[in-house]
Amino acid sequence: MTTTPHMDDVDLVIHQHKDQWMPLSMFGAFQKPSFMQHQLLLAIAIKLKPKKHKLRMDMELSCFAEDGIEAIQDVLRMATRFGDSLFQVTLLYSPRYMLTMMTNDITEGTHSIKSMGLAMKKALEEREGKCKLGPVRVVTERDEHTLSIFMTHIENQLKEIPADDDYEESMFKHPSHT
């Protein structure tokens, strides 16, 4: 769903960046209609808005202790309870998970996601588990599309084919019961 920016957005950007703006009287020299001034300011406001970046870190979690499954679940919950749900955890396939977050500042976000990954690793190792952390990377639209295709492929592989049940049942029936 795409939202259309409004003049309030322009006013907010102008207010936040007063020292970077020339007076609006600069448009007087161009003799442009006010509609064109509005559209130009709107385009500038859109370009000045900070962009959100999605960061991703893959991790492999395993724990063969008696309470191994609970240990992994607790570690995964640790990330989602942190802050204002800053982090999201997605199961790619067992034992691989994906830790993601949205941020305006890539450097600060990279530090945050690495810190969370290390905290999760420490917590799991305290419960006799193992955690392998992958590198942090910025997720692009192409990565999102590739991940979507991969997840759909995995889901399709895991779906049970209805014809399989009929075939298995016919294999185990006695020939006299047909």
Side-chain angles (χ1 to χ4, degrees), residues 93 150-161 164:
Y93 55 87
F150 174 74
M151 296 301 285
T152 304
H153 177 71
I154 294 288
E155 285 176 13
N156 289 339
Q157 284 183 339
L158 294 176
K159 284 183 184 175
E160 189 173 354
I161 300 172
D164 285 349

Side-chain angles (χ1 to χ4, degrees), residues 9-128:
D9 296 331
V10 174
D11 293 338
L12 179 65
V13 171
I14 290 172
H15 179 70
Q16 290 175 344
H17 303 282
K18 282 182 183 175
D19 57 330
Q20 298 174 6
W21 285 81
M22 290 192 261
L24 293 179
S25 60
M26 69 180 191
F27 289 114
F30 297 112
Q31 299 297 320
K32 301 290 181 191
S34 106
F35 173 75
M36 291 183 77
Q37 289 178 13
H38 171 75
Q39 293 299 318
L40 180 59
L41 286 174
L42 213 48
I44 293 169
I46 290 169
K47 293 291 183 185
L48 286 178
K49 279 191 176 183
K51 305 285 188 273
K52 288 264 188 188
H53 302 280
K54 185 174 186 177
L55 300 178
R56 168 184 172 174
M57 181 170 63
D58 290 355
M59 54 180 58
E60 289 186 15
L61 307 175
S62 61
C63 186
F64 297 105
E66 188 174 317
D67 67 337
I69 293 173
E70 290 83 16
I72 291 173
Q73 289 174 344
D74 291 344
V75 167
L76 295 174
R77 283 189 201 107
M78 184 173 93
T80 56
R81 281 193 227 131
F82 181 79
D84 300 324
S85 296
L86 186 63
F87 300 101
Q88 292 181 343
V89 179
T90 307
L91 171 67
L92 295 175
Y93 55 87
S94 187
R96 180 165 251 167
Y97 295 85
M98 175 177 64
L99 182 65
T100 58
M101 70 174 291
M102 297 296 289
T103 183
N104 290 333
D105 183 5
I106 294 176
T107 306
E108 189 176 304
T110 301
H111 176 71
S112 295
I113 201 167
K114 279 183 182 178
S115 297
M116 177 52 67
L118 291 173
M120 292 170 72
K121 180 178 182 171
K122 181 181 176 187
L124 190 60
E125 287 175 349
E126 287 174 356
R127 295 180 68 178
E128 301 176 19

